[in-house]
Amino acid sequence: MIKNIVFDMGKVLVDYVPEGVCRQYMKDEGMIRKICTAVFISPEWMLLDLGVIPEDEALARMVSRLDTHEEKEMAALCFWHWHEYNMWPMEGMGQLVERLKKAGYGIYLCSNASVRLLECYQKLIPGIQYFDGVLFSAPEKCMKPQKEIYERLFSRFDLKPEECLFIDDQPLNIQGSQACGMKGYVYDGNREKLEAYLQETLGRKF
């Protein structure tokens, strides 16, 4: 019996566009692509989510791959302000979270995210007031789909895997959750389909 709903953050509760901040400061498409790649599509970005590298060191490595002073300045600007422009709440997800909570389900978050999100997630995640627990990868030094982060979720909030349903946009993350005994649903952005699945799986309207 499912008693708890566990949400991913990016592309589930919060939309995320890596080049969003770049478009705030630059107009040239070539420059936007170059800076976006250097910062947000980089090995350091994953290391930040894993919590094993400080932000200053990550930025230094990112800009070392750029050529001009202007590129390095733009990369730093985008790096320090990405959380202001790259994310916004997904339509209708706050209301879904509220309905699930009022129906009696525990609501949790399990997301790969850097320590930056610890400072601002309460302003970004829709329905955050209804969450019973939040787990980000960086402070835990492990990330989805590693089994350690799911086990950390269960132990931290005293959850039984078989009583949890995980909603994530990445199939590998769902496979990881299922390997730990937690049922999963791959979210493709269709909220109506998700709600239909939840009502069928939970066996009730909410």
Side-chain angles (χ1 to χ4, degrees):
M1 180 179 177
I2 300 298
K3 297 181 180 179
N4 307 289
I5 311 298
V6 183
F7 287 92
D8 175 36
M9 182 174 62
K11 295 294 184 180
V12 176
L13 295 171
V14 176
D15 206 354
Y16 174 75
V17 177
E19 69 271 18
V21 67
C22 300
R23 296 193 180 281
Q24 292 294 318
Y25 300 117
M26 292 167 272
K27 300 298 181 184
D28 181 77
E29 288 296 324
M31 175 78 85
I32 289 170
R33 287 193 299 272
K34 189 169 185 178
I35 300 304
C36 183
T37 299
V39 176
F40 304 113
I41 309 173
S42 66
E44 292 77 27
W45 197 251
M46 182 175 291
L47 294 176
L48 286 166
D49 281 356
L50 194 52
V52 296
I53 187 174
E55 288 192 317
D56 287 342
E57 181 180 341
L59 178 60
R61 293 188 187 185
M62 291 169 180
V63 300
S64 71
R65 292 191 290 270
L66 295 170
D67 302 312
T68 68
H69 180 70
E70 180 187 12
E71 290 171 353
K72 295 175 188 292
E73 281 192 335
M74 287 295 102
L77 191 61
C78 291
F79 179 82
W80 293 119
H81 293 277
W82 68 266
H83 60 285
E84 299 169 15
Y85 300 105
N86 286 12
M87 299 175 293
W88 57 88
M90 296 280 271
E91 183 179 356
M93 294 305 286
Q95 291 87 342
L96 174 58
V97 167
E98 180 181 5
R99 284 158 49 206
L100 286 166
K101 182 62 178 178
K102 290 182 176 179
Y105 294 96
I107 307 295
Y108 297 88
L109 181 81
C110 182
S111 179
N112 290 344
S114 69
V115 292
R116 182 83 61 87
L117 270 297
L118 296 174
E119 304 170 4
C120 60
Y121 76 90
Q122 293 187 352
K123 299 176 182 178
L124 294 168
I125 297 174
I128 188 62
Q129 68 269 30
Y130 300 109
F131 279 73
D132 297 288
V134 172
L135 190 77
F136 285 130
S137 59
E140 304 302 322
K141 302 295 190 293
C142 56
M143 62 192 298
K144 301 176 297 182
Q146 292 176 302
K147 67 177 182 179
E148 287 82 3
I149 194 166
Y150 303 109
E151 292 173 349
R152 200 75 54 85
L153 174 76
F154 304 143
S155 63
R156 180 72 50 80
F157 302 114
D158 195 25
L159 304 175
K160 296 179 180 179
E162 65 273 15
E163 294 179 347
C164 298
L165 170 64
F166 184 41
I167 302 168
D168 194 292
D169 66 310
Q170 295 295 321
L172 276 177
N173 294 339
I174 294 301
Q175 291 171 23
S177 75
Q178 291 171 335
C180 294
M182 177 166 58
K183 191 176 182 69
Y185 177 85
V186 179
Y187 184 58
D188 63 2
N190 187 323
R191 194 181 74 254
E192 289 76 15
K193 189 166 71 173
L194 169 62
E195 293 194 24
Y197 169 83
L198 287 170
Q199 292 193 13
E200 179 181 354
T201 301
L202 301 176
R204 59 182 294 189
K205 293 186 177 181
F206 51 86

